Amino acid sequence: MDDSLSSESFLQGAKKAAHKAMDDHGRPEYDEFALHAGVAVEKLAKAALAAKNPLYIAEIRNADTMLYLGGHLQIDDDKVRTVGAKDAIVLLRKIGVLPQKDDLLIAMRNGAAHAAPDSAKAKGMISPLARTIETLLGDLGKPLDEFWERWTDAVKDAVNEQEDQVFRDVQLRMVQARHAFADRFVGLPAEVKEGALKAPQPRKEEWFVRPTEVVKDGIVVLKTSGGDCPACGGQGLLTFEPVGRTGTDTHYSANGFGCYLCNFEANGPEEMAALWKANTPPWSCQLPCRTGRRFLLKHSRHWTRKTPDPHP
């Protein structure tokens, strides 16, 4: 039998497609993600079937392929027909490997191949993809980290039901940004990447690396400061908005972060809270007040400014 029809060959093909799917999702190219996700599931399903019996991957009602896989008939490679994604899923359900659920991943793959997919729906396919692959790898007795490699932590976060969707989404985007940034330096000397991380971005005199206040009608409506990126370690921009005022105090809360180097972003209080919850950003920055005094912010979501300042 052709080695390309072995369980191990299908497994490696599934791994390659799954990694492409994760890269696509991070760009974001959700049509390509849906296509590669479907290919990954199809190939891994065939790997699981072939591991049990090579005959199981023969296209249904194709007697020649079945006899070829059984070693009793020689046919040309271009005439070998293996089971399709839908039928592979059906077979695995019949023998209890996969649960009885809708073939959403396969439908997305077919949609991507033949028409414009629903991007919003495709974006949310990370979790079903991760669960399906985890189930099939378990049946094959293959470790998760060996299949996913650098994507292992992100995949585990995607199926962690103890965390909410915002947390999982932020963690996934952070890992995607980290890998995309690292990929830009593949084949280059290590000092090239180190230099990019150490250099002020884009230049030292640019506004966003300095603490800044945005004032409207005499009232501070936004504060900004540079901060370390939790994805790549470069210099990004933290923003804070006022969330409460009293006669003497103004309370600010972090409401956004963006990195010039790796394009990682977190927007809104919920996503910022997810970053702090994971304790990923070692942020240490200084926020200015209108008098010119600066206050150190470290591992905190909130900042309070006393008004007026008796010691300008």
Side-chain angles (χ1 to χ4, degrees), residues 112-179:
H114 303 295
D118 184 337
S119 293
K121 186 179 291 185
K123 181 180 178 180
M125 284 289 93
I126 287 286
S127 183
L129 172 66
R131 292 183 189 284
T132 303
I133 286 180
E134 183 177 17
T135 299
L136 292 173
L137 288 176
D139 183 69
L140 285 164
K142 301 294 184 180
L144 200 67
D145 58 349
E146 186 178 287
F147 181 89
W148 283 114
E149 296 179 350
R150 69 177 188 172
W151 291 109
T152 301
D153 290 341
V155 169
K156 288 180 178 178
D157 286 336
V159 298
N160 185 0
E161 294 182 350
Q162 295 181 359
E163 301 293 351
D164 60 33
Q165 185 59 47
V166 173
F167 180 89
R168 295 198 297 266
D169 187 48
V170 169
Q171 294 302 300
L172 174 62
R173 296 204 318 265
M174 185 169 60
V175 174
Q176 288 172 330
R178 181 181 301 134
H179 292 335

Side-chain angles (χ1 to χ4, degrees), residues 202-267:
R203 296 189 305 273
K204 189 174 183 178
E205 63 269 23
E206 288 290 342
W207 66 271
F208 78 77
V209 298
R210 301 196 310 268
T212 305
E213 287 184 349
V214 178
V215 180
K216 182 179 181 180
D217 298 328
I219 299 175
V220 177
V221 294
L222 187 73
K223 287 180 178 287
T224 69
S225 180
D228 295 333
C229 177
C232 71
Q235 181 80 174
L237 175 69
L238 271 165
T239 60
F240 296 80
E241 63 180 350
V243 292
R245 302 179 191 273
T246 66
T248 58
D249 298 342
T250 300
H251 299 273
Y252 294 87
S253 181
N255 72 332
F257 177 82
C259 179
Y260 174 86
L261 278 174
C262 69
N263 296 321
F264 171 71
E265 293 183 353
N267 299 293

Side-chain angles (χ1 to χ4, degrees), residues 69-107:
L69 294 172
H72 295 94
L73 181 67
Q74 292 299 315
I75 60 175
D76 294 336
D77 292 344
D78 60 355
K79 293 183 179 180
V80 175
R81 298 289 182 268
T82 59
V83 65
K86 183 178 180 179
D87 290 332
I89 295 295
V90 170
L91 292 175
L92 288 170
R93 284 178 176 163
K94 285 185 177 181
I95 59 179
V97 174
L98 290 177
Q100 302 293 325
K101 293 183 180 179
D102 292 337
D103 298 330
L104 190 53
L105 277 170
I106 303 305

Side-chain angles (χ1 to χ4, degrees), residues 4-81:
S4 66
L5 301 176
S6 69
S7 177
E8 184 61 28
S9 179
F10 282 123
L11 175 63
Q12 293 306 313
K15 178 178 178 179
K16 183 177 180 179
H19 284 229
K20 285 184 177 179
M22 297 298 286
D23 289 334
D24 294 334
H25 194 279
R27 274 192 280 267
E29 294 178 358
Y30 299 126
D31 54 345
E32 294 295 320
F33 163 74
L35 177 61
H36 286 129
V39 171
V41 172
E42 178 177 348
K43 287 184 176 293
L44 198 55
K46 291 181 181 181
L49 289 172
K52 297 181 183 305
N53 191 321
L55 295 179
Y56 292 170
I57 64 169
E59 183 183 54
I60 297 174
R61 295 180 297 277
N62 191 313
D64 285 353
T65 296
M66 181 179 65
L67 291 171
Y68 168 75
L69 294 172
H72 295 94
L73 181 67
Q74 292 299 315
I75 60 175
D76 294 336
D77 292 344
D78 60 355
K79 293 183 179 180
V80 175
R81 298 289 182 268

Side-chain angles (χ1 to χ4, degrees), residues 181 191-204 208-209 233-236 260-261:
F181 178 72
E191 54 266 25
V192 175
K193 180 179 178 181
E194 294 173 1
L197 290 172
K198 292 178 181 179
Q201 300 296 328
R203 296 189 305 273
K204 189 174 183 178
F208 78 77
V209 298
Q235 181 80 174
Y260 174 86
L261 278 174

